[in-house]
Amino acid sequence: MSLFVRLADWQTDRDAIRGIRQKVFVEEQQVPADLEWDELEESAQHFLIYQSNKAIGTGRLTGGGKIGRMAILKDARGNGAGLELLNRICKFARVSGQKNVYLNAQVHAVPFYQKAGFAVTGEEFMEADIPHVRMDLTLNDQEPSENADDWNR
């Protein structure tokens, strides 16, 4: 089973992105739809992860290095897709010049993000009636062979 992460565009990939987030956040986690979709959709850099040519997950990177809206379809969890997606988003952020990234993690997912090197840096708070904490990661220096333009090939 091979996993593939690619850059996604809100305009052209909206149906895939919305479909995944609708299933994971709105239906599974009961996040109100009006909280799921925001004004950052069009300006964010979105990502899609595929398994066997099927989009199984998504995430986004917004201004200031904030990673968000990480979602993997329920039947695709447990195969490393979430970690692969997160690593690729961090790599993109790094080659794009970000020195740090952060996210608001659901408390139950803290061990997952810690495995990727993130550290809890804030107090617990509620978002969409789900407990969250802020987590930060300092990115390693860019490898000389990497370039943000490589993502567009």
Side-chain angles (χ1 to χ4, degrees), residues 7 45 47 61 88-96 148 151:
L7 295 178
Q45 176 58 68
F47 300 81
L61 181 67
R88 297 294 287 175
I89 293 171
C90 290
K91 182 175 182 177
F92 180 85
R94 180 170 32 96
V95 299
S96 298
W151 281 82

Side-chain angles (χ1 to χ4, degrees), residues 10-11 14 16-17 25-26 36 38 40 42-43 47 49 57 66 78 88 90 98 101-103 117 136 144 146-147:
W10 179 249
Q11 295 304 321
R14 179 187 333 220
I17 295 165
F25 295 125
V26 178
E36 179 54 29
D38 63 22
L40 299 175
E42 294 202 18
S43 62
F47 300 81
I49 185 165
K66 183 178 182 185
R88 297 294 287 175
C90 290
Q98 291 287 331
V101 289
Y102 72 98
L103 50 82
D136 291 73
E146 292 179 331
N147 186 314

Side-chain angles (χ1 to χ4, degrees), residues 40 60-70 86 89-90 93 98-105 113 117-122 125 127 133-139:
L40 299 175
R60 74 180 190 185
L61 181 67
T62 57
K66 183 178 182 185
I67 297 171
R69 304 306 201 265
M70 288 270 306
L86 181 60
I89 293 171
C90 290
Q98 291 287 331
K99 300 294 183 201
N100 303 288
V101 289
Y102 72 98
L103 50 82
N104 293 333
Y113 291 110
F118 282 78
V120 174
T121 57
F125 63 93
E127 187 173 345
V133 291
R134 179 178 166 133
M135 299 186 78
D136 291 73
L137 175 69
T138 299
L139 300 171

Side-chain angles (χ1 to χ4, degrees), residues 1-6 48-57 72 75-88:
M1 152 215 46
S2 65
L3 297 169
F4 172 73
V5 178
R6 74 167 179 85
L48 284 166
I49 185 165
Y50 292 82
Q51 178 182 349
S52 303
N53 295 321
K54 178 187 177 209
I56 60 166
I72 302 293
D75 62 351
R77 293 180 197 148
N79 67 2
L83 191 56
E84 179 68 17
L85 177 61
L86 181 60
N87 286 338
R88 297 294 287 175

